[in-house]
Amino acid sequence: MMSTLEILTFPDPRLRNRAKPVAVVDNRVRDTLDAMFETMYQAPGIGLAAIQVDIPLRIVVMDISERQDSPLCLINPELFAHRGQQEMKEGCLSVPGFFEEVSRAEAIGVRALNRDGASFELEAEGLLAVCIQHEVDHLDGKLFVDHLSSLKRQRIRKKLEKDQRQQRPRPAAPERRAI
């Protein structure tokens, strides 16, 4: 069993960094993927971007299955198509305990590398499309709270800052896994 990584919490400024492309998919990258999956599953979440664990690389892991048995990794993901629009309640491991409605594309196309460095394309819709868009936002230094009104964003920021000052992490809602 590997050790889990520390997940950065909003408003940590490192979450605003833009991730850099992975030059070569090697054993170091695969070890990072494994540690990210373990961290995401333990959190528990359905998606995690490397930038959330202070690794500034364009790496995303996710698993939207109920049984946590369908891991998907995207290295250097690029969205190349989108259609439609959907509203879905989103949460985030970096914004623990908050779930808000966010509008995103209903279906997307993404191009990425897999854990062996092979290029592939994937068409996704529904929750998977939302999860991919959410995680790619992270790679660009954007959080789901950026899709909310400034008033809601400030309320969330103040609550999390207060929790951090009191050094008692706000637990994620137990009935939902955050993205």
Side-chain angles (χ1 to χ4, degrees):
M1 184 151 176
M2 306 184 74
S3 61
T4 56
L5 305 167
E6 180 187 350
I7 298 171
L8 303 177
T9 306
F10 176 71
D12 191 308
R14 293 172 289 180
L15 290 167
R16 298 304 186 172
N17 293 335
R18 287 184 60 86
K20 295 180 176 20
V22 172
V24 177
V25 178
D26 56 15
N27 285 336
R28 218 168 115 188
V29 170
R30 285 185 278 278
D31 288 345
T32 298
L33 288 167
D34 294 341
M36 287 176 62
F37 272 116
E38 183 172 336
T39 301
M40 178 191 75
Y41 286 132
Q42 187 175 349
I46 62 170
L48 184 68
I51 204 80
Q52 290 179 269
V53 290
D54 202 22
I55 298 171
L57 293 173
R58 296 189 75 78
I59 300 173
V60 166
V61 298
M62 59 190 66
D63 186 342
I64 63 166
S65 69
E66 287 298 317
R67 289 200 229 157
Q68 299 182 340
D69 60 0
S70 300
L72 173 66
C73 73
L74 303 172
I75 300 169
N76 298 338
E78 296 174 38
L79 300 178
F80 64 84
H82 65 279
R83 70 171 164 75
Q85 187 175 326
Q86 64 182 330
E87 296 264 331
M88 194 173 285
K89 201 167 266 240
E90 291 185 29
C92 181
L93 295 175
S94 292
V95 188
F98 291 92
F99 294 87
E100 299 286 342
E101 290 286 330
V102 175
S103 180
R104 296 199 187 263
E106 181 180 15
I108 59 153
V110 63
R111 184 178 301 113
L113 301 177
N114 67 16
R115 72 180 289 124
D116 297 319
S119 181
F120 72 99
E121 289 185 1
L122 174 70
E123 289 184 20
E125 55 186 30
L127 179 59
L128 182 58
V130 166
C131 192
I132 292 170
Q133 291 170 86
H134 178 110
E135 299 308 335
V136 169
D137 271 0
H138 275 300
L139 300 180
D140 295 330
K142 192 172 183 178
L143 298 164
F144 92 96
V145 295
D146 297 333
H147 293 274
L148 307 176
S149 71
S150 59
L151 184 65
K152 275 188 181 177
R153 191 169 43 255
Q154 282 302 331
R155 179 178 53 82
I156 291 169
R157 172 193 278 266
K158 286 183 174 157
K159 178 62 178 143
L160 289 173
E161 285 174 338
K162 180 182 175 189
D163 288 351
Q164 289 165 11
R165 279 193 307 275
Q166 295 174 348
Q167 293 186 346
R168 60 178 171 86
R170 186 177 162 86
E175 72 279 358
R176 299 185 69 132
R177 292 186 295 153
I179 294 179

